Amino acid sequence: MALSSYLVTLKAGTSAETLEKLVDIKDFPDLIGEPNMLETTTLSDGMQTYIPGIKSSDMMTFTFNYTKEDFQKVKTNEGKPMFYELSFSDGSTFTWQGQHTVGLPGKGVDEVLEATINIAPSTEVAFDAGA
């Protein structure tokens, strides 16, 4: 059965044991990057051939509705090494370590104010199927 994004939660903490919900998020980025493609073509090959290389990862950006309380909560640990977890309603989780900054994207007329949590990962994202 398919899952909804309802109740997806971003947690953060200074250790794996202190993880708690950071703020309510509106979206989440790709968590597991695609591997780089390493070319293995020889002069005997009729087409280019490849093997997968190291997985790449970009900045992980999560959007949340701006309130001064939530903005301050995210800003409190900005730039500090942290543990992160994205948990789904079926009990599965994705965990990693990194550092985050808080952002405030520009807006126009009649739009909801939003802010971003921008996480630079320092470890690979690990999957846990849960109980």
Side-chain angles (χ1 to χ4, degrees):
M1 176 176 14
L3 275 182
S4 165
S5 59
Y6 177 61
L7 296 179
V8 170
T9 305
L10 176 63
K11 297 178 182 179
T14 55
S15 70
E17 295 74 36
T18 63
L19 291 170
E20 63 179 43
K21 182 177 178 180
L22 188 53
V23 293
D24 285 322
I25 56 172
K26 298 179 75 169
D27 56 30
F28 62 90
D30 296 343
L31 294 182
I32 301 172
E34 297 177 4
N36 292 322
M37 297 297 288
L38 306 178
E39 187 176 355
T40 58
T41 310
T42 69
L43 295 176
S44 300
D45 292 323
M47 64 177 253
Q48 288 181 307
T49 60
Y50 299 88
I51 60 171
I54 296 173
K55 291 180 185 172
S56 62
S57 181
D58 292 326
M59 182 69 71
M60 298 174 163
T61 300
F62 299 78
T63 306
F64 65 99
N65 290 326
Y66 173 86
T67 66
K68 64 182 176 183
E69 295 81 14
D70 283 349
F71 190 86
Q72 184 59 47
K73 184 176 181 182
V74 174
K75 192 156 184 60
T76 299
N77 289 313
E78 187 174 50
K80 297 177 185 173
M82 299 285 288
F83 289 72
Y84 301 94
E85 175 183 286
L86 194 66
S87 59
F88 292 176
S89 61
D90 66 353
S92 61
T93 60
F94 296 84
T95 56
W96 68 98
Q97 295 175 43
Q99 296 179 28
H100 72 264
T101 58
V102 63
L104 189 62
K107 290 295 173 184
V109 174
D110 201 27
E111 293 182 318
V112 171
L113 293 179
E114 297 173 327
T116 58
I117 303 161
N118 307 298
I119 303 173
S122 59
T123 64
E124 192 170 345
V125 175
F127 170 70
D128 183 349

